[in-house]
Structures are given as C-alpha cells and as structure tokens.
Amino acid sequence: MSVFTESNLPASEAEIDFTDLENQYVVPEQEETLENVVVVDNIPVVDESKEEKLVQVLKKIFKKHGTVKANGIHMPKDSSSGKPKTKGYAFVEFETAQQAQAAIFNLNGYKLDKSHSLLVNAFMDVERYTEVNDAYQAPPEAPFEEREHLRSWLTDEYGRDQFAVYADQELSVFWNETAHPAEKAISRSNWTEAYAQWSPLGSFLCTVHEQGLVLWGGPSWKKLARFIHRKVKLVDFSPSERYLVTFSADPISVDAVNQMLGPGNEHQNPYTIDDEGHTVCVWDAHTGSLLRSFPPVRSEDGKPVKSSWPQFKWSPSEKYFARLNQNVSLSIYEASTMSLLDKKSIKIAGIQDFAWCPNLIVDPRTGTTRPEMLAYWTPEEGNLPARVTLMSVPSQAIVRTKNLFSVFNASLHWHPKGQALCVRVQRYT
C-alpha cells in the first residue's frame, strides 16, 4: 500500500490499494473434513422392520463416548433382492473429532453379540486407504537391532540371583552371595522417588515416580517402557508379565495430566474423557500402551468400597482377569478386548473371595485342555450353609459345590498344578 501524505490523499476509499495488507493477513480457507465421522463395520444385516431398533442400540452404545448428532447414524441399504436390507455397516457422526477418536479407541472390537464384534474406524482413514496405490511397494527394511535379554541374569556362571535395596535415595541391585559379601551390579541415585518392585519372573525392575512408572531391564538396565499415571501408589503384574496394573488414589484428570506433561507434550497423554475419575489402569507391559482404565469399586448404592490389592486376579492363560465386589458380584474380563465377559458382572450374593485354578488341566482321557476354572466361597445366610463353588470360565457353568457348616471364615488355596483345592475354614465354637 502506498504511503499517503496530506498532499496526495485519495479522493475516495475505493482508490486505496489494500492488496499488500490482504496478502499479509489473508485467512486460509478452512478445509471441510469429516474427522468427526466414524465407520462402523460388522453390524447385523437387517430389514426395514428392525432398522430403527438397531439404530437405537447403536445410539445407546456410542452415546457413552460422545454426542451423536440428530440423524447422525446412517446405514446404507441394498435393494437388489427386492426387499431393502442394510449392508452391515454404518456411518456415525459426532459433534467433535475428539468424540469420534474416543469412540474408535474404546469401541473398536466391542462385542455387540456372540457373532458380531464392531470394527470402528475413522471415515477419513477409510478415504485415505482407498487412495493407496494398488501396486505393491515393499517397505524399507529396518536394520536389525539386537535387544538385550531381559533375563540375562539366568546365565550367571555362578547361578546367583539378584536383589534390590533402596536406601538414602539410592537404589542398588546386588548379586546374592552365600560365602562372600554381596556384589553390587548397579547403583543409581534418585533412580526412584518412592520404591522399586520386581516383576514376577524377574524380567523388569519397576521404579515409582510422581508422574508414573518406568520399567528397566537387561544387563545395562535400560529404560524399557514408561507409564503415565499421576501419583501412582500400587503396582501389579500379570503372572507372565504381559500386563501391568497400576492404582492411584488421585482420580484421573486429562487436564491435570496435560498440565503435568507441559505445553507441546499433550500427545503423550494416554487418557481420554472416558478415563476421567478412574483410579486403576491396565497396560501392555511390553509396549506401554494403556489398554483400559477402571473406576473405583462401588456398592449397589454407589458408595466407594474398600478393596484389597491386587484388585485383579489373572487366569493362568492370562486370557481372563477378574475383580471382586465383595458381597455383591464377580466381574470377569476378557484380556483380548478388556471387556466384561458376556457384558455383565456375575451376581453372587455374599461372595467373600475367589481364586483361579493356577494351571491349565489336561483331560487324561481325551488329551484336551479343560476350560479354565475358579473357586469362590459364600458365608452362611439364614438357614443356608456356607458354600464353596467351582465355576468353569468362560461358560460360567457350575462344576461343583460343597456345603460347609458352622463356618464364619474361609480361605482358598489351590495346589500349584491345580490338582486339588484346599479350603481352610474357621468354625464357630
């Protein structure tokens, strides 16, 4: 724009050239996207008489993770047979892209019924995949990077074990010696802020910090994975170290985690709005991915209930894990989907404790592996005696029950190979 003085002022505003200002402060046109739309595949194929009912079922599922727009569920139809039927997939439109991402994260793999598991993907991803070149292009081969063996201590020529000591802000790992003083393998100051804990098989050493957990391992004690869980207090591993469970008395807050991570690091936050208020998290111990978070255990009237640690007990195959709501119910989850078995907890009035059979038992007659099994016990109630029950999983069939009389407390102890169940009872005298 030209510089004007009193002597060369334009006669009107129309004579002023604003081109340079327009170019400098131009506002780019917003590209219209469909980031708030998800594609839901593998839904039942129905005719028009059942279409509205299916829409309502989908709305009920998806509204837990965001606001579905009015008329925001569209199911394409196929009329080639003369009777219009849905094609087995639907488009769901949310108010925001964040809600769509939350639905994808939480509902992909959701079991609608025994024969339908939802496949939820972003609409824009589907569009991008359709533009992929049909000609195969081999990806670049990544150079082989040898990883340290996480249980290298088993190769020690003297057959020694290791133990950890935390004192004066210094965490040390020693080789256990019988005839000589313990040999220090490694020592680091401020390695942990609270305590350290070994995984069940000794593959990992876990350190606890204000921001969460860190797993270390291998001969050089490298950092293997990081788990963000503010003010974490308790840690537990599944028996084969595939999963990691953490607890914090401080409920999850997405904003608080973002603030803790600092500006520009929000992408490291593993939580969504669906995790708000939860206190227990289940992680993939090898990748550091958050698999699911859980709210505190509550009674039927909604009040928090004190629960023992570990909150979850794992089946020997790690296909299932379960949590007790004492006196009320037993919740069994499938590890592959992190969802409730048969979508609901098992109501067991008075249930006090349970224990998984610690081994997969092979039927000697057929050579096949029997289903997994757990035992639980319930106390006396009125004229009913106390009872120990064996339940098959996943069928939830009752295998055997045993009545116990004049019993006010019991504890369950399986044989290590699952060949017998011992019930230690305390009787009224």
Side-chain angles (χ1 to χ4, degrees):
M1 185 171 67
S2 304
V3 178
F4 295 105
T5 64
E6 291 184 4
S7 60
N8 67 343
L9 286 175
S12 67
E13 184 179 337
E15 296 180 14
I16 303 176
D17 183 10
F18 293 100
T19 305
D20 55 343
L21 291 176
E22 290 173 350
N23 291 336
Q24 183 176 356
Y25 298 103
V26 64
V27 178
E29 291 186 11
Q30 297 296 317
E31 182 183 354
E32 185 177 350
T33 67
L34 296 172
E35 298 286 354
N36 62 325
V37 179
V38 300
V39 182
V40 186
D41 206 350
N42 202 33
I43 60 177
V45 175
V46 298
D47 56 28
E48 291 181 330
S49 64
K50 296 180 180 179
E51 181 182 355
E52 183 58 30
K53 183 177 180 181
L54 179 57
V55 168
Q56 294 304 318
V57 170
L58 293 176
K59 277 185 179 179
K60 185 177 180 181
I61 294 171
F62 281 91
K63 73 178 183 180
K64 297 177 182 178
H65 306 283
T67 303
V68 178
K69 287 187 176 182
N71 301 318
I73 298 181
H74 173 65
M75 291 188 288
K77 298 184 183 66
D78 179 12
S79 303
S80 59
S81 62
K83 189 176 182 181
K85 288 186 177 182
T86 61
K87 292 185 176 182
Y89 64 92
F91 302 99
V92 181
E93 185 177 5
F94 290 90
E95 286 193 343
T96 67
Q98 290 74 19
Q99 293 174 357
Q101 287 300 316
I104 294 169
F105 181 82
N106 291 282
L107 295 176
N108 189 33
Y110 178 87
K111 278 198 172 183
L112 188 65
D113 53 40
K114 289 185 178 180
S115 55
H116 296 89
S117 294
L118 301 183
L119 300 175
V120 186
N121 293 282
F123 178 83
M124 298 300 290
D125 285 347
V126 175
E127 191 176 63
R128 279 193 286 268
Y129 296 148
T130 58
E131 298 173 357
V132 174
N133 193 335
D134 290 337
Y136 173 73
Q137 291 182 343
E141 186 175 345
F144 174 71
E145 192 173 322
E146 187 173 356
R147 299 181 63 183
E148 294 181 340
H149 200 292
L150 297 181
R151 276 181 270 173
S152 58
W153 49 270
L154 290 172
T155 62
D156 179 58
E157 59 179 325
Y158 302 110
R160 298 172 297 178
D161 288 326
Q162 292 180 332
F163 66 92
V165 175
Y166 180 49
D168 295 330
Q169 306 300 316
E170 187 169 306
L171 177 61
S172 303
V173 177
F174 293 88
W175 289 103
N176 187 37
E177 300 278 1
T178 54
H180 306 283
E183 178 187 340
K184 185 181 293 186
I186 190 172
S187 183
R188 292 175 182 170
S189 297
N190 301 313
W191 197 355
T192 182
E193 296 177 15
Y195 64 91
Q197 180 174 323
W198 292 100
S199 60
L201 302 178
S203 303
F204 308 109
L205 180 64
C206 173
T207 56
V208 181
H209 307 267
E210 176 73 13
Q211 293 190 354
L213 306 174
V214 178
L215 295 188
W216 311 81
S220 61
W221 297 99
K222 289 182 178 179
K223 181 191 291 187
L224 302 174
R226 177 191 181 201
F227 307 86
I228 299 172
H229 196 175
R230 290 178 68 247
K231 299 181 180 180
V232 62
K233 298 297 182 184
L234 299 171
V235 186
D236 183 50
F237 288 85
S238 61
S240 298
E241 306 176 338
R242 184 71 178 83
Y243 302 98
L244 174 70
V245 185
T246 57
F247 166 80
S248 172
D250 195 49
I252 292 170
S253 166
V254 175
D255 291 338
V257 174
N258 284 337
Q259 187 176 359
M260 177 186 73
L261 293 173
N265 295 316
E266 293 84 357
H267 63 282
Q268 297 179 19
N269 190 341
Y271 305 108
T272 66
I273 192 171
D274 295 310
D275 301 306
E276 290 274 351
H278 293 184
T279 56
V280 178
C281 295
V282 180
W283 311 80
D284 186 314
H286 296 273
T287 65
S289 302
L290 175 65
L291 301 177
R292 180 172 175 178
S293 65
F294 293 84
V297 179
R298 298 185 182 276
S299 60
E300 290 183 312
D301 58 4
K303 295 181 179 179
V305 175
K306 284 187 176 180
S307 56
S308 59
W309 186 261
Q311 279 199 16
F312 295 111
K313 297 180 181 179
W314 297 82
S315 69
S317 69
E318 296 189 355
K319 289 182 178 179
Y320 307 98
F321 60 102
R323 178 164 72 167
L324 175 71
N325 188 350
Q326 200 169 50
N327 296 313
V328 179
S329 63
L330 182 65
S331 301
I332 303 176
Y333 298 87
E334 294 181 271
S336 59
T337 61
M338 289 287 145
S339 58
L340 268 172
L341 186 63
D342 290 343
K343 301 182 184 178
K344 60 183 178 181
S345 298
I346 307 167
K347 299 290 185 181
I348 306 173
I351 183 171
Q352 296 298 300
D353 195 13
F354 75 100
W356 288 97
C357 176
N359 195 30
L360 295 172
I361 300 174
V362 177
D363 190 323
R365 295 166 297 181
T366 62
T368 58
T369 302
R370 293 177 179 174
E372 301 193 66
M373 188 164 52
L374 60 79
Y376 64 86
W377 81 276
T378 52
E380 295 182 1
E381 181 67 33
N383 295 327
L384 297 175
R387 180 173 295 172
V388 174
T389 303
L390 296 182
M391 176 189 288
S392 178
V393 177
S395 67
Q396 302 179 26
I398 302 302
V399 178
R400 175 85 185 272
T401 60
K402 177 68 177 178
N403 292 336
L404 305 172
F405 297 93
S406 301
V407 169
F408 69 88
N409 194 18
S411 55
L412 307 170
H413 305 275
W414 283 95
H415 183 278
K417 294 185 178 180
Q419 296 175 346
L421 173 65
C422 169
V423 182
R424 180 179 180 273
V425 299
Q426 292 178 278
R427 299 185 183 275
Y428 294 105
T429 55

